[in-house]
């Protein structure tokens, strides 16, 4: 499915699909997804468990190869980068990841300085430059040099995540991919980390892709939001458009479940419909993949899916999109 392209993307994906298993029984974890990421932009990819977010992240990082489609970073296909060791090294330096659980992603035997310096050693930085860069990046994430000799067990959850972010930033990547970066943190700390990420982006102009299921997190930081369901893109647009002028019923259901009081204009039968069994990933299903759980589904949804536009940059793939104002409760 095609979404509007940015004018000068640093990274783009065109009709990307990923299947697992033999041809006769393939599971399509990602199917026909296109996206673009501009310089200095924060792009959020949201959806519930099983929507294909993590698989798409691995494709973007070059950790797995797409079954179909093409991903391009700075004008060069990822397949060219991963074809040899030197290319993989260059790609991993430019695309860095921050993991969901800062506790398990940090080596408990290493000090903070050693953790942050590790990728610099891997990428061949001169020893005389490493110490200065470690101090610089610790300051960037709000940690003084007094933390340099501490071990992860001596840090709070928020401080450990700051170290994880510092490690990812150390080699000066151009794209930072965050996998549920605040999901394991207390609510009081989540806001601090999100503000830190916004400050870092303002200071460095780094491009960010954030994988999330928490729509409150997305709204706080993302410029644009892509909504995925069963491996497919169902809605894409500016974060404001997706939240305020929601088009796809699945996006509306996510907003409903995330609203503070759990209520909005969608009736109780909507929530009951969402408990229905989802379609299988085992085939390239015709029509809308959300139809088995959608309270607005019509016969046409079994055979085809229309493309609807709220404006030139906000689109959804749905035959019966939500009307403006249907969703009353907002985060």
């Amino acid at each position: 499915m095609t979404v509007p392209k940015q004018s000068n993307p640093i990274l783009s994906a065109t009709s990307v699909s990923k299947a697992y298993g033999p041809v006769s029984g393939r599971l399509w974890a990602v199917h026909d997804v296109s996206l673009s990421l501009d310089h200095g932009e924060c792009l959020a990819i949201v959806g519930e468990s099983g929507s294909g977010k993590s698989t798409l992240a691995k494709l973007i990082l070059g950790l797995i190869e797409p079954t179909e489609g093409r991903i391009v970073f700075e004008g060069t296909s990822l397949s060219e980068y991963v074809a040899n060791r030197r290319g993989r090294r260059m790609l991993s330096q430019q695309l860095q990841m921050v993991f969901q659980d800062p506790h398990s992603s940090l080596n408990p035997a290493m000090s903070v300085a050693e953790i942050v310096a590790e990728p610099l050693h891997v990428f061949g930085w001169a020893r005389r430059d490493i110490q200065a860069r470690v101090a610089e990046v610790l300051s960037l994430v709000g940690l003084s040099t007094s933390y340099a000799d501490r071990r992860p067990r001596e840090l709070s959850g928020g401080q450990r995540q700051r170290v994880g972010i510092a490690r990812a930033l150390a080699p000066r990547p151009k794209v930072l991919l965050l996998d549920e970066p605040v999901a394991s943190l207390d609510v009081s700390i989540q806001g601090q980390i999100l503000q830190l990420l916004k400050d870092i982006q303002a200071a460095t102009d780094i491009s960010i892709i954030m994988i999330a299921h928490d729509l409150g997190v997305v709204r706080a930081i993302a410029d644009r939001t892509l909504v995925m369901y069963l491996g497919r893109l169902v809605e894409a647009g500016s974060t404001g458009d997706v939240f305020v002028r929601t088009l796809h019923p699945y996006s509306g259901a996510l907003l409903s479940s995330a609203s503070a009081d759990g209520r909005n204009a969608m009736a109780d039968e909507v929530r009951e419909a969402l408990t229905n069994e989802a379609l299988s990933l085992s085939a390239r299903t015709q029509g809308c993949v959300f139809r088995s759980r959608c309270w607005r589904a019509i016969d046409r949804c079994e055979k085809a899916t229309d493309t609807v536009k709220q404006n030139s940059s906000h689109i959804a793939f749905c035959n019966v999109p939500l009307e403006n104002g249907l969703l009353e409760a907002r985060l």
Side-chain angles (χ1 to χ4, degrees):
M1 295 180 177
T2 302
V3 299
K5 294 183 178 181
Q6 299 298 91
S7 58
N8 183 32
I10 187 172
L11 184 146
S12 63
T14 304
S15 301
V16 169
S17 299
K18 181 61 181 179
Y20 294 96
V23 175
S24 59
R26 280 184 165 179
L27 297 177
W28 291 89
V30 172
H31 184 260
D32 196 22
V33 171
S34 297
L35 60 83
S36 64
L37 175 70
D38 211 344
H39 294 266
E41 181 185 34
C42 181
L43 175 69
I45 302 173
V46 302
E48 61 189 328
S49 178
S51 63
K53 308 186 303 294
S54 295
T55 300
L56 183 57
K58 292 177 182 177
L59 289 165
I60 290 171
L61 290 170
L63 299 178
I64 57 177
E65 295 185 15
T67 305
E68 297 173 353
R70 186 168 183 254
I71 300 175
V72 174
F73 173 67
E74 291 198 316
T76 302
S77 173
L78 253 60
S79 61
E80 295 183 33
Y81 281 104
V82 302
N84 57 74
R85 185 173 181 178
R86 183 172 179 272
R88 282 185 176 275
R89 187 185 185 91
M90 291 175 57
L91 185 66
S92 62
Q93 183 173 358
Q94 297 300 323
L95 305 179
Q96 283 284 308
M97 185 167 186
V98 176
F99 299 92
Q100 176 177 341
D101 184 1
H103 179 72
S104 62
S105 66
L106 304 179
N107 189 332
M110 298 174 70
S111 68
V112 167
E114 290 170 333
I115 289 170
V116 176
E118 185 177 25
L120 302 180
H121 289 294
V122 170
F123 295 127
W125 279 53
R127 290 186 178 276
R128 64 179 179 273
D129 297 328
I130 290 178
Q131 186 175 359
R133 179 56 179 167
V134 169
E136 179 185 8
V137 79
L138 285 179
S139 176
L140 186 61
V141 301
L143 295 175
S144 69
T145 53
S146 64
Y147 286 88
D149 294 327
R150 299 189 189 185
R151 298 293 191 272
R153 64 178 179 274
E154 302 175 83
L155 306 176
S156 67
Q159 290 168 342
R160 284 194 291 263
Q161 192 61 294
R162 288 173 187 265
V163 173
I165 295 170
R167 177 179 59 186
L169 291 172
R172 293 196 173 99
K174 295 182 178 179
V175 176
L176 196 63
L177 196 150
L178 302 111
D179 183 12
E180 305 277 6
V182 298
S184 63
L185 303 177
D186 293 339
V187 174
S188 60
I189 305 299
Q190 290 182 4
Q192 297 177 21
I193 298 299
L194 291 174
Q195 185 59 52
L196 171 66
L197 292 170
K198 293 173 71 173
D199 293 343
I200 289 171
Q201 190 169 30
T204 64
D205 200 36
I206 194 171
S207 301
I208 293 177
I209 298 176
M210 177 176 287
I211 306 297
H213 69 273
D214 187 331
L215 295 178
V217 169
V218 168
R219 194 172 195 180
I221 190 173
D223 299 304
R224 288 190 300 130
T225 297
L226 309 183
V227 183
M228 292 186 66
Y229 180 76
L230 279 187
R232 299 197 189 196
L233 188 63
V234 296
E235 185 163 359
S238 72
T239 300
D241 281 341
V242 171
F243 273 72
V244 178
R245 290 175 285 276
T246 314
L247 290 172
H248 201 282
Y250 177 63
S251 304
L254 288 180
L255 286 168
S256 172
S257 65
S259 61
D261 59 4
R263 300 192 307 272
N264 61 22
M266 292 190 296
D268 290 339
E269 58 265 24
V270 173
R271 305 184 194 283
E272 293 177 7
L274 294 181
T275 64
N276 293 341
E277 186 176 354
L279 296 176
S280 172
L281 290 170
S282 61
R284 289 186 165 182
T285 307
Q286 285 188 324
C288 179
V289 291
F290 186 58
R291 65 178 184 268
S292 66
R293 302 174 69 195
C294 183
W295 68 101
R296 296 169 64 83
I298 58 177
D299 291 343
R300 176 175 169 76
C301 297
E302 294 188 10
K303 299 178 180 179
T305 304
D306 293 337
T307 300
V308 293
K309 290 188 177 183
Q310 186 73 251
N311 53 51
S312 60
S313 62
H314 181 199
I315 66 173
F317 305 98
C318 182
N319 296 316
V320 280
L322 300 175
E323 296 86 1
N324 287 344
L326 177 63
L327 301 173
E328 295 175 349
R330 297 297 175 194
L331 297 179

